[in-house]
């Protein structure tokens, strides 16, 4: 039976990224297929992010063996058993800016020292030879590689693997779920925008629209880490991508502008902090869930207990209080959406929003800017002229008097489907624990 959803996960593990990956791999084959895991820098440097992905598969291999040994033979992790995702390595730094990491929250290795705490749950370093050189790391090709049989390593840059999959698979069958900085996605879109737009949907965890940021007062980390990439990707939702493209300064990757004529607009579903922050995993619920599993010797319980306990302690330190802390499930929420996308409780804004990314502001880089004025937009029916034989080839756009930067033209600006409601912020933590550990 064909899987319900086929996805590429672009990720920078990271604590909540790992939880998102576990949730995806715990699905049934009928719910989800993870076709590829695209690794980027972000919460920690690229090499550490990749190590965490390889370690995750290593732990799951041990976990499934342990479950079999104790007679726990449920159908959990069906997607992991049924499919074998490609793991590819992507960008090690933003398109133009210096690298910014969040190891103050996730720990130096991205998982609060889990590799040092449980060396038996970390793969031998010979896995590095399975991938292309990572940030100048020496090759270990002479050593026999060690890695889990549950994934296929790739030496091709991840943005090119994305394009290959989109090119080879039928249009509208692959969704990209981006839960890290959007650099890899932006590189794919720039290299071959026509192929990239074969994607069914781009699900993005990023931004803060009506709430405070978590990297700066106005910006969420993923979009702050590479605001240029986010702006370029968001521009593909516009009828005229040039109207919201960021200004070019360094252009270290020699990225070309998008063609004036594209086959269609990108469908982008945005999960900003507004919707993700209230969906929490409470420490007491986690502790209660894994207590017996730790006593029984579950490798997954041991592994997750280390980095989640470290995260809960870090939250307490940052807030200056000790209580039943909650970890916001930013990235896992995007996977829950993929698992339950047909649930009518998922609600986007009534009409796609013109959300633009600030890329130049000294204090506002990465900010998601929306037009909160009450002025009417131009009449949609009379603002555009096209060639009669080719309606996609626009030749004239009416300008709106007093409109600065195209905020009032219906033909300019982005079209973002911001998600504003889920099946229940009060139940997601329980759902996550059940799927990962039952």
């Amino acid at each position: 039976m064909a899987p319900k959803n086929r996805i590429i996960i672009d990720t920078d593990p990271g604590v909540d990224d790992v939880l998102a990956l576990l949730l995806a791999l715990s699905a049934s084959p009928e719910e989800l297929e993870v076709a590829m895991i695209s690794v980027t820098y972000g919460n920690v440097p690229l090499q550490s992010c990749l190590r965490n992905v390889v370690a995750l598969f290593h732990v799951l291999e041990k976990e499934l063996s342990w479950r079999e040994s104790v007679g726990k033979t449920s159908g959990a992790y069906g997607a992991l058993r049924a499919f074998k995702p490609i793991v590819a390595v992507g960008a090690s730094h933003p398109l133009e800016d210096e690298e910014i990491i969040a190891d103050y929250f996730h720990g130096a290795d991205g998982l609060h020292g889990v590799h040092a705490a449980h060396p038996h749950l970390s793969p031998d370093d010979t896995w590095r030879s399975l991938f292309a050189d990572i940030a100048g790391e020496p090759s270990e090709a002479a050593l026999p590689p060690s890695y889990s049989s549950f994934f296929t390593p790739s030496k091709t840059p991840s943005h090119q693997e994305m394009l290959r999959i989109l090119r080879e698979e039928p249009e509208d069958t692959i969704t990209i779920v981006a839960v890290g900085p959007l650099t890899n996605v932006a590189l794919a879109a720039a290299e071959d925008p026509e192929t990239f737009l074969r994607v069914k949907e781009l699900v993005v965890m990023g931004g803060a629209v009506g709430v405070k940021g978590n990297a700066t007062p106005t910006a969420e980390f993923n979009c702050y880490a590479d605001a240029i990439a986010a702006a370029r990707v968001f521009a593909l939702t516009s009828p005229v991508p040039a109207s919201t493209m960021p200004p070019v300064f360094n252009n270290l990757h020699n990225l070309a502008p998008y063609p004036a004529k594209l086959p269609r607009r990108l469908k982008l579903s945005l999960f900003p902090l507004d919707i993700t922050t209230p969906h929490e995993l409470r420490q007491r619920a986690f502790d209660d869930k894994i207590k017996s599993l730790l006593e029984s010797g579950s490798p997954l319980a041991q592994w997750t207990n280390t980095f989640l306990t470290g995260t809960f302690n870090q939250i307490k330190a940052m807030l200056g209080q000790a209580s039943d802390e909650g970890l916001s499930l930013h990235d896992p929420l995007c996977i829950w959406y993929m698992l339950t996308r047909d649930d009518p409780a998922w609600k986007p804004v009534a009409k796609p929003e013109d959300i633009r990314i600030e890329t130049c502001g000294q204090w506002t880089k990465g900010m998601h800017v929306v037009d909160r004025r009450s002025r009417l937009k131009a009449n949609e029916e009379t603002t555009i002229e096209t060639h009669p034989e080719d309606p996609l080839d626009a030749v004239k756009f009416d300008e709106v008097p007093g409109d600065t930067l195209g905020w009032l033209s219906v033909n300019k600006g982005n079209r973002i489907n911001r998600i504003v409601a889920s099946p229940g912020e009060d139940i997601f933590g329980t759902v996550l624990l059940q799927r990962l550990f039952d």
Side-chain angles (χ1 to χ4, degrees):
M1 180 182 296
K4 183 177 181 181
N5 290 304
R6 302 185 66 206
I7 66 173
I8 293 170
I9 303 177
D10 190 61
T11 178
D12 61 330
V15 171
D16 58 325
D17 300 74
V18 165
L19 294 178
L21 291 170
L22 287 170
L23 180 59
L25 295 170
S26 73
S28 71
E30 294 75 27
E31 288 178 312
L32 201 67
E33 175 188 347
V34 181
M36 173 184 167
I37 296 173
S38 165
V39 186
T40 186
Y41 70 93
N43 290 316
V44 286
L46 179 64
Q47 181 180 316
S48 294
C49 290
L50 179 58
R51 183 189 190 192
N52 292 341
V53 171
V54 176
L56 178 147
F57 283 101
H58 187 72
V59 171
L60 285 176
E61 196 164 32
K62 290 181 175 294
E63 173 71 9
L64 294 184
S65 295
W66 172 80
R67 291 189 182 196
E68 184 176 351
S69 71
V70 297
K72 191 175 182 181
T73 56
S74 69
Y77 292 92
L80 175 69
R81 300 171 192 262
F83 309 110
K84 191 173 181 179
I86 295 166
V87 174
V89 187
S92 61
H93 56 80
L95 293 181
E96 294 190 15
D97 300 319
E98 294 183 1
E99 182 182 3
I100 300 166
I101 61 176
D103 57 356
Y104 66 92
F105 184 79
H106 295 268
D109 65 351
L111 295 175
H112 287 280
V114 73
H115 303 292
H118 301 294
H120 66 293
L121 296 179
S122 293
D124 295 336
D125 279 350
T126 52
W127 61 263
R128 299 177 192 278
S129 65
L130 299 167
F131 302 91
D133 283 352
I134 311 163
E137 282 293 303
S139 173
E140 298 178 356
L143 298 175
S146 61
Y147 70 102
S148 169
S149 60
F150 286 133
F151 73 88
T152 300
S154 172
K155 291 183 181 289
T156 302
S158 64
H159 75 278
Q160 293 178 351
E161 283 283 11
M162 279 186 200
L163 291 172
R164 180 191 62 78
I165 293 172
L166 291 171
R167 190 177 297 115
E168 294 177 357
E169 298 300 323
E171 189 174 74
D172 288 328
T173 59
I174 300 292
T175 295
I176 298 175
V177 182
V179 294
L182 287 171
T183 313
N184 288 340
V185 178
L187 289 171
E191 182 166 314
D192 189 345
E194 288 82 2
T195 294
F196 179 77
L197 288 173
R198 292 170 60 85
V199 72
K200 179 178 181 179
E201 182 179 9
L202 175 65
V203 176
V204 174
M205 191 281 120
V209 178
V211 299
K212 60 189 177 182
N214 61 3
T216 73
T218 60
E220 176 273 333
F221 175 81
N222 288 341
C223 288
Y224 181 69
D226 196 344
I228 298 291
R232 289 186 62 99
V233 171
F234 277 40
L236 284 172
T237 69
S238 173
V240 184
S243 68
T244 62
M245 283 284 278
V248 176
F249 295 108
N250 299 321
N251 198 10
L252 301 177
H253 292 268
N254 296 315
L255 301 185
Y258 297 129
K261 180 180 174 181
L262 288 169
R264 62 179 184 174
R265 297 201 300 267
L266 173 67
K267 180 182 179 182
L268 192 157
S269 296
L270 183 67
F271 286 73
L273 296 180
D274 310 53
I275 183 71
T276 62
T277 299
H279 292 78
E280 292 184 328
L281 174 61
R282 310 299 297 187
Q283 182 173 14
R284 186 172 296 116
F286 173 72
D287 290 344
D288 290 345
K289 185 68 177 180
I290 68 163
K291 181 179 179 181
S292 62
L293 295 172
L294 287 172
E295 294 171 351
S296 301
S298 162
L300 182 60
Q302 295 173 23
W303 198 61
T304 55
N305 181 58
T306 295
F307 63 77
L308 282 174
T309 299
T311 303
F312 289 129
N313 289 338
Q314 178 63 23
I315 293 172
K316 292 174 185 177
M318 292 172 64
L319 297 179
Q321 60 190 41
S323 61
D324 181 24
E325 296 305 333
L327 167 66
S328 291
L329 299 170
H330 305 296
D331 299 342
L333 190 66
C334 295
I335 302 298
W336 195 32
Y337 169 72
M338 294 306 307
L339 292 170
T340 60
R341 177 157 57 176
D342 293 337
D343 190 325
W346 290 108
K347 295 186 183 303
V349 288
K351 185 177 180 181
E353 295 175 311
D354 183 4
I355 301 177
R356 308 187 192 184
I357 310 296
E358 175 57 55
T359 61
C360 304
Q362 180 181 4
W363 311 116
T364 57
K365 187 184 82 168
M367 180 180 179
H368 281 45
V369 181
V370 296
D371 189 352
R372 304 187 190 280
R373 299 174 295 178
S374 58
R375 290 185 62 182
L376 295 176
K377 289 182 177 289
N379 187 328
E380 188 169 2
E381 296 181 356
T382 61
T383 55
I384 185 170
E385 294 180 5
T386 63
H387 289 305
E389 65 275 11
D390 190 353
L392 287 176
D393 190 7
V395 295
K396 181 179 178 181
F397 295 92
D398 289 346
E399 296 297 330
V400 180
D403 183 22
T404 302
L405 302 177
W407 286 99
L408 300 178
S409 169
V410 295
N411 304 301
K412 298 179 181 179
N414 297 326
R415 306 289 189 272
I416 306 298
N417 299 299
R418 179 166 63 93
I419 305 300
V420 295
S422 78
E425 61 189 52
D426 55 334
I427 66 170
F428 183 39
T430 300
V431 170
L432 179 74
L433 291 175
Q434 289 174 343
R435 282 188 172 257
L436 267 55
F437 296 108
D438 283 353

